[in-house]
């Protein structure tokens, strides 16, 4: 029975729904003598620390110690670029922790933090991208993707448009906030439980802060209650604080941010600003595009530069642009350090090109879907090469998905129905849009595209699987379980996927960039295949056949020549043990064929592209800007799905998270630089009420991806960009209030933003008489 490709529930689903699934902070009862940490937070967006008095905190009952820069035995930095002091002398964003109080209880730690006396010298703060651009406040390199002659292309174009667009950020709002518990063993080695997407980097940072070799630090992640990129690097400082506290006191130390602290202290999706000039023909074919991208990186570099690089590599989306110059800069502001978020810059780049194509179409009086299709790769002269030099393999899938989705979603019929509805209803309008997705899969830092695994087979036939990927609810462990069971030919219940630990699989990459199953799954499969080859040799002796003729399936082993004579998997394993055959193996995988020149922004950064498309239909109230998402149809390419139930959930969840970013989640900072939307009461998240009335999701059939584990494709990030279709549908509805033309819609497209967009098209219609 084939186990890969079978629709099975998430491996921890019963534990999740019964409350038995353990997360990092749930381990606290195991350490009854643990100390609790609480931050001392600065009340300025930018300031110099002049003086700090910690003695008053020590007078609070239960307070044991106050951690400051003086206590750091190693390097006082929780990053890898030397710009993220764990205990800063210069405050760089509102609420930044300048010290941490350790106490017998969380309440004592909180009261102690209130008693720490800190004197500050306030300094000028940069709180917006526009101000950063004016002051030349940038960090990292200037990145540029270039093809052709943009100036000549603009001069040769029948029409030229200029514009700009600002995209808001997004709070990760994972259900489990940042959490770590650190302790010392009997020999003084450091063990850290951490809610981290990158245990190896967390290990590196803890060792760096403590001044220890990494072999004296072990990091474990049992599971996360969501990550979305927010725990790729930003789990590290909290693990470092816990480890430092444990190292100095000899007692376990717990750091667990409450929701307010988590929102105030941690980075978000990067807000972006773009200004562009585009040249095109009377038929809507793009000829030249000059676009400048600026992101709000916050106070430190974090991952801002690679996020910008991916944005630049996705500003083409599914479209061929003959002459392109895309330039990106990361702005340095006095805000939280913005970081990885599902899509990692790709969504921002793709929103910009979809905005541009919509404006091109509406300026010509053409349907946006027609202009989009005309500009797909495979148009004349495209050669299917991206502006950064990579061939778009399987480019025909863009057109295939587009046509099949238009057919299954009844797009043309519904376009007519929308027009009829709009003609009859002056105060309510509907809009419909279809948008494509072409998303590159791999880390755009080539070295990260590697993974390891350690598979152990015991004499009873049971199997332990260790790999470097982390489980954050996305179903990675479920897929790994299916891969291992398929590769060894055993039932699913014979496989136990272990918590991720740095002492089992070293030097791992982050579980990010949608590569978790691609990298770790391939490593696990290779390790299992090594073991199966050894076992096949043992079984072949028993059956008197060639090892190539031995079959492993569902816990049974037999020969192709005598299938009625069978041994159990456990029997073969015991026989192998008796013959002193190795019953464990490592697996190592590196993605082949990748190369990337960061300075030139040229090469092959991606192993393949994931494709998809979505049709969204909305209805908008002209008096309030309130809208309803009436129907969504999605067709998405996941290759040969490893686990269809998991993949469907990822497509649906990714779409809804993208919907939240583009239409609901209005992240704001006030004039002091403080996050104003710092709770669920002021920051609106998508919920059941935002689900479309009709929600159809199909996975593209017969879509095998050669060279990837069992022909699958990544599914974590690409579906988020499908939600761009909702923003485009809203613009379609808004345009109907004024008889067509270009729509200026802010992002996120909240009801308020939609209302003001409607007012603009109404005023334009009054002026022009349309």
């Amino acid at each position: 029975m084939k186990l890969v490709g079978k629709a099975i529930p998430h491996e921890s689903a019963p534990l999740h729904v019964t409350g038995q699934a353990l997360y990092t902070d749930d381990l606290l009862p195991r350490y009854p003598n643990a100390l609790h940490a609480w931050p001392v937070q600065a009340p300025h967006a930018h300031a110099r620390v002049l003086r700090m008095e910690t003695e008053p905190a020590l007078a609070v009952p239960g307070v044991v110690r106050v951690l400051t820069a003086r206590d750091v035995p190693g390097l006082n930095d929780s990053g890898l670029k030397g710009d993220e002091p764990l205990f800063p002398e210069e405050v760089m964003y509102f609420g930044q922790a300048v010290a941490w109080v350790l106490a017998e209880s969380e309440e004592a730690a909180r009261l102690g933090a209130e008693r720490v006396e800190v004197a500050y010298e306030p300094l000028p703060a940069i709180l917006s991208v526009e101000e950063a651009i004016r002051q030349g406040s940038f960090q990292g390199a200037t990145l540029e993707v270039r093809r052709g002659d943009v100036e000549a292309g603009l001069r040769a174009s029948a029409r030229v448009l200029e514009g700009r667009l600002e995209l808001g950020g997004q709070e990760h709002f994972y259900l489990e906030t940042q959490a770590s518990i650190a302790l010392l063993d009997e020999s003084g080695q450091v063990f850290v439980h951490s809610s981290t997407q990158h245990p190896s980097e967390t290990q590196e940072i803890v060792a760096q802060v403590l001044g220890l070799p990494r072999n004296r630090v072990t990091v474990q992640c049992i599971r996360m209650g969501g990550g979305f990129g927010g725990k790729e690097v930003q789990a590290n400082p909290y693990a470092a604080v816990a480890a430092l506290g444990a190292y100095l006191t000899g007692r376990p130390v717990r750091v667990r941010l409450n929701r307010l602290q988590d929102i105030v202290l941690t980075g978000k999706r990067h807000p972006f600003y773009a200004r562009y000039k585009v040249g095109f023909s009377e038929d809507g074919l793009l000829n030249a595009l000059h676009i400048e991208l600026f992101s709000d990186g916050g106070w430190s570099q974090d991952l801002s530069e690679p996020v910008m690089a991916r944005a630049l590599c996705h500003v083409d989306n599914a479209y061929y642009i003959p002459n392109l110059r895309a330039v990106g800069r990361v702005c340095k502001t006095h805000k939280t350090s913005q970081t990885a978020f599902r899509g990692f810059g790709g969504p921002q780049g793709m929103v910009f090109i979809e905005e541009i194509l919509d404006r091109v179409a509406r300026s010509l009086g053409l349907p946006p879907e027609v202009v989009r299709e005309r500009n797909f790769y495979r148009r004349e002269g495209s050669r299917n090469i991206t502006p950064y030099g990579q061939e778009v393999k399987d480019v025909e899938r863009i057109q295939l998905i587009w046509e099949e989705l238009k057919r299954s979603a009844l797009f043309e019929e519904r376009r007519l129905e929308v027009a009829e509805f709009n003609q009859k209803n002056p105060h309510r309008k509907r809009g419909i849009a279809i948008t494509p997705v072409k998303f590159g899969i791999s880390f755009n830092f080539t070295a990260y595209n590697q993974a390891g695994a350690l598979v152990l087979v015991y004499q009873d036939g049971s199997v332990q699987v260790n790999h470097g990927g982390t489980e954050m609810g996305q179903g990675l462990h479920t897929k790994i379980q299916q891969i291992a069971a398929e590769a060894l030919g055993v039932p699913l219940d014979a496989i136990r996927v272990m918590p991720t630990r740095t002492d089992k699989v070293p030097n791992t990459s982050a579980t990010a960039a949608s590569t978790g199953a691609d990298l770790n799954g391939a490593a696990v499969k290779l390790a299992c295949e090594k073991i199966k080859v050894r076992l096949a040799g043992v079984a072949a002796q028993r059956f008197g056949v060639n090892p190539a003729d031995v079959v492993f399936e569902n816990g049974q082993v037999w020969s192709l020549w005598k299938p009625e004579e069978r041994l159990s998997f456990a029997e073969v394993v015991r026989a192998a043990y008796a013959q002193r055959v190795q019953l464990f193996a490592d697996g190592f995988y590196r993605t082949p064929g990748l190369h990337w020149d960061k300075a030139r922004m040229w090469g092959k950064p991606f192993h393949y592209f994931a494709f998809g498309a979505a049709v969204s239909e909305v209805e908008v109230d002209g008096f309030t800007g309130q809208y309803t998402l009436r129907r969504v149809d999605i067709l998405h390419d996941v290759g040969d799905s490893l686990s269809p139930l998991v993949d469907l959930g990822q497509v649906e969840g990714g779409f809804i998270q993208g919907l939240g970013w583009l239409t609901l989640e209005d992240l704001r900072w006030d004039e002091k630089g403080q996050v104003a939307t710092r709770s669920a009461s002021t920051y609106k998240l998508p919920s059941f009420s935002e689900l479309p009335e009709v929600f159809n999701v199909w996975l593209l059939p017969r879509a095998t991806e050669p060279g990837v584990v069992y022909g699958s494709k990544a599914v974590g990030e690409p579906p988020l960009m499908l939600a761009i279709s909702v923003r485009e549908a809203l613009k379609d509805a808004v345009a109907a209030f004024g008889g067509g033309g270009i729509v200026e819609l802010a992002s996120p497209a909240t009801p308020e933003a939609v209302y003001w967009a409607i007012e603009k098209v109404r005023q334009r219609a009054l002026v022009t008489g349309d």
Side-chain angles (χ1 to χ4, degrees):
M1 180 177 64
K2 191 171 175 61
L3 296 173
V4 162
K6 184 179 179 183
I8 65 169
H10 190 288
E11 49 88 26
S12 291
L15 301 178
H16 289 154
V17 299
T18 57
Q20 297 178 73
L22 294 178
Y23 299 86
T24 295
D25 201 50
D26 294 323
L27 304 176
L28 184 63
R30 299 181 184 181
Y31 310 105
N33 67 330
L35 297 173
H36 301 256
W38 195 274
V40 177
Q41 295 181 265
H44 305 283
H46 190 202
R48 188 172 290 110
V49 178
L50 300 178
R51 179 179 54 84
M52 184 183 298
E53 299 292 339
T54 61
E55 288 77 11
L58 297 174
V60 174
V63 171
V64 172
R65 186 158 186 159
V66 180
L67 301 178
T68 67
R70 295 190 300 270
D71 297 309
V72 177
L75 183 64
N76 180 28
D77 199 289
S78 62
L80 296 176
K81 299 181 176 69
D83 65 345
E84 296 183 42
L86 192 60
F87 301 98
E89 295 179 358
E90 182 180 349
V91 172
M92 295 296 287
Y93 67 95
F94 191 103
Q96 185 171 13
V98 296
W100 288 79
V101 176
L102 306 181
E104 302 286 351
S105 69
E106 189 173 83
E107 179 66 5
R110 182 184 68 81
L111 294 173
E114 290 179 355
R115 297 286 296 276
V116 174
E117 298 174 3
V118 187
Y120 299 95
E121 177 192 354
L123 299 170
I126 297 173
L127 300 176
S128 69
V129 170
E130 293 83 352
E131 182 64 24
I133 294 171
R134 281 196 297 271
Q135 295 197 28
S137 179
F138 300 109
Q139 53 189 334
T142 299
L143 303 178
E144 181 175 342
V145 172
R146 178 192 287 268
R147 172 165 61 196
D149 187 332
V150 173
E151 293 305 317
L154 289 170
R155 288 193 299 271
S157 297
R159 296 203 187 194
V160 174
L161 273 178
E162 294 186 56
R164 59 188 63 207
L165 179 64
E166 188 173 349
L167 300 178
Q170 187 176 19
E171 167 61 39
H172 296 88
F173 224 106
Y174 25 66
L175 292 181
E176 177 201 23
T177 56
Q178 301 281 0
S180 287
I181 299 173
L183 56 140
L184 303 183
D185 67 13
E186 70 284 353
S187 59
Q189 312 307 307
V190 182
F191 189 94
V192 184
H193 297 283
S194 178
S195 183
T196 173
Q197 292 176 237
H198 198 174
S200 288
E201 187 174 295
T202 300
Q203 175 196 31
E204 180 179 4
I205 294 301
V206 168
Q208 171 179 289
V209 169
L210 298 183
L212 297 174
R214 291 184 212 176
N215 69 348
R216 291 185 59 188
V217 177
T218 299
V219 174
Q220 173 175 288
C221 176
I222 48 176
R223 60 167 60 83
M224 285 168 279
F228 310 119
K231 297 174 182 175
E232 183 172 347
V233 300
Q234 298 215 354
N236 298 339
Y238 310 107
V241 167
L244 177 62
Y247 188 73
L248 295 174
T249 66
R251 293 174 61 177
V253 172
R254 170 229 195 190
V255 175
R256 196 270 300 169
L257 304 185
N258 62 34
R259 182 62 62 188
L260 174 62
Q261 291 168 333
D262 198 285
I263 293 178
V264 169
L265 287 168
T266 66
K268 328 295 180 191
R269 183 188 294 281
H270 290 75
F272 264 65
Y273 166 76
R275 52 196 186 203
Y276 60 85
K277 190 172 186 179
V278 60
F280 52 98
S281 72
E282 295 290 351
D283 296 327
L285 285 174
L286 299 190
N287 188 36
L289 172 63
H290 179 222
I291 184 167
E292 296 175 280
L293 305 186
F294 300 91
S295 69
D296 185 341
W299 74 282
S300 69
Q301 291 185 68
D302 196 279
L303 293 168
S304 294
E305 198 173 289
V307 165
M308 177 59 76
R310 187 170 281 263
L312 293 171
C313 287
H314 284 79
V315 81
D316 62 327
N317 193 12
Y319 311 108
Y320 176 69
I321 307 168
N323 302 287
L324 171 71
R325 182 171 183 242
V327 182
R329 291 303 313 264
V330 177
C331 297
K332 184 172 184 177
T333 62
H334 295 102
K335 294 181 182 176
T336 55
S337 186
Q338 315 320 349
T339 189
F341 200 126
R342 196 176 194 170
F344 203 78
Q348 292 96 319
M350 289 162 68
V351 169
F352 290 133
I353 191 61
E354 296 299 343
E355 167 82 5
I356 289 167
L357 283 166
D358 186 77
R359 290 196 175 206
V360 166
R362 296 189 186 282
S363 71
L364 295 168
L366 294 171
E369 63 271 12
V370 170
V371 171
R372 288 188 167 98
E373 186 171 354
R374 286 177 180 174
N375 282 283
F376 282 164
Y377 278 98
R378 298 192 79 187
R379 62 177 264 201
E380 186 178 351
S382 79
R383 295 183 295 116
N384 306 328
I385 302 294
T386 66
Y388 47 90
Q390 177 162 351
E391 180 186 1
V392 184
K393 188 174 74 68
D394 298 325
V395 69
E396 66 279 355
R397 287 194 187 179
I398 299 172
Q399 192 72 42
L400 172 69
I401 289 171
W402 187 264
E403 292 174 357
E404 176 56 30
L405 183 61
K406 285 178 71 176
R407 185 196 62 77
S408 60
L410 305 174
F411 183 86
E412 300 298 345
E413 296 92 322
R414 288 165 59 199
R415 168 62 84 192
L416 296 174
E417 291 170 3
V418 164
E420 184 179 353
F421 177 91
N422 290 343
Q423 192 171 11
K424 294 178 180 178
N425 293 273
H427 304 305
R428 297 188 71 83
K429 302 293 183 184
R430 290 178 181 172
I432 189 169
I434 178 171
T435 57
V437 165
K438 174 185 69 65
F439 189 81
I441 302 298
S442 287
F443 287 98
N444 51 8
F445 180 55
T446 303
Y448 282 171
N449 295 286
Q450 58 175 295
L454 176 63
V455 176
L456 316 175
V457 177
Y458 295 94
Q459 289 186 62
D460 63 355
S462 63
V463 182
Q464 276 190 2
V465 175
N466 301 274
H467 65 94
T470 55
E471 175 61 53
M472 61 195 92
Q474 84 280 34
L476 175 59
H477 284 358
T478 307
K479 290 182 173 182
I480 294 293
Q481 185 182 31
Q482 290 177 271
I483 289 167
E486 181 78 21
L488 287 172
V490 298
L492 281 171
D493 59 12
I495 306 293
R496 181 185 176 199
V497 180
M498 305 301 290
T500 311
R501 287 174 59 129
T502 56
D503 60 353
K504 291 293 186 69
V505 181
N507 308 317
T508 58
S509 297
T511 306
S514 305
T515 62
D518 282 15
L519 296 178
N520 296 286
V524 166
K525 183 172 181 283
L526 289 168
C528 290
E529 287 171 345
K530 286 183 184 179
I531 295 170
K532 191 163 76 170
V533 166
R534 297 170 194 156
L535 294 178
V538 173
Q541 295 173 19
R542 287 283 193 97
F543 296 133
V545 299
N546 188 293
D549 295 331
V550 176
V551 178
F552 291 76
E553 189 175 300
N554 200 31
Q556 299 290 306
V557 184
W558 68 89
S559 158
L560 287 172
W561 304 106
K562 289 186 178 181
E564 68 279 1
E565 294 181 13
R566 300 195 173 203
L567 296 172
S568 71
F569 183 78
E571 287 178 295
V572 176
V573 168
R574 283 193 292 270
Y577 175 77
Q579 295 179 33
R580 294 183 294 178
V581 172
Q582 184 177 339
L583 292 172
F584 61 93
D586 66 319
F588 180 77
Y589 175 78
R590 47 182 279 174
T591 310
L594 301 180
H595 57 93
W596 182 242
D597 183 336
K598 175 191 160 187
R600 295 173 56 220
M601 292 287 285
W602 184 265
K604 185 188 176 187
F606 307 122
H607 191 30
Y608 59 86
F609 294 97
F611 302 105
V615 172
S616 292
E617 183 181 339
V618 298
E619 185 173 318
V620 177
D621 183 295
F623 295 112
T624 64
Q626 293 281 351
Y627 48 83
T628 302
L629 183 53
R630 301 186 71 243
R631 177 174 169 176
V632 172
D633 295 84
I634 291 170
L635 180 58
H636 196 70
D637 172 19
V638 299
D640 291 340
S641 175
L642 292 170
S643 195
L645 200 58
V646 168
D647 285 346
L648 280 170
Q650 285 291 288
V651 173
E652 293 167 351
F655 175 86
I656 295 297
Q657 192 166 49
L659 170 73
W661 169 52
L662 290 170
T663 68
L664 294 171
E665 300 179 43
D666 198 0
L667 188 63
R668 299 285 183 97
W669 276 265
D670 64 20
E671 67 281 354
K672 297 179 181 178
Q674 182 176 203
V675 181
T677 49
R678 53 186 183 271
S679 68
S681 63
T682 53
Y683 185 78
K684 183 165 176 55
L685 294 162
S687 62
F688 286 116
S689 59
E690 277 70 49
L691 282 172
E693 297 168 10
V694 179
F695 197 8
N696 299 316
V697 179
W698 299 280
L699 302 180
L700 184 69
R702 299 179 298 281
T704 303
E705 181 61 30
V708 185
V709 60
Y710 289 114
S712 63
K713 275 189 175 182
V715 71
E717 293 170 300
L720 187 135
M721 278 69 76
L722 297 167
I724 298 173
S725 60
V726 180
R727 172 179 161 78
E728 297 306 304
L730 285 170
K731 286 156 68 179
D732 193 52
V734 168
F737 282 98
I742 290 174
V743 174
E744 297 178 25
L745 179 61
S747 184
T750 61
E752 180 184 10
V754 170
Y755 173 77
W756 290 115
I758 292 170
E759 283 297 291
K760 283 184 180 179
V761 300
R762 281 174 171 159
Q763 290 300 318
R764 186 176 64 216
L766 287 173
V767 171
T768 60
D770 289 345

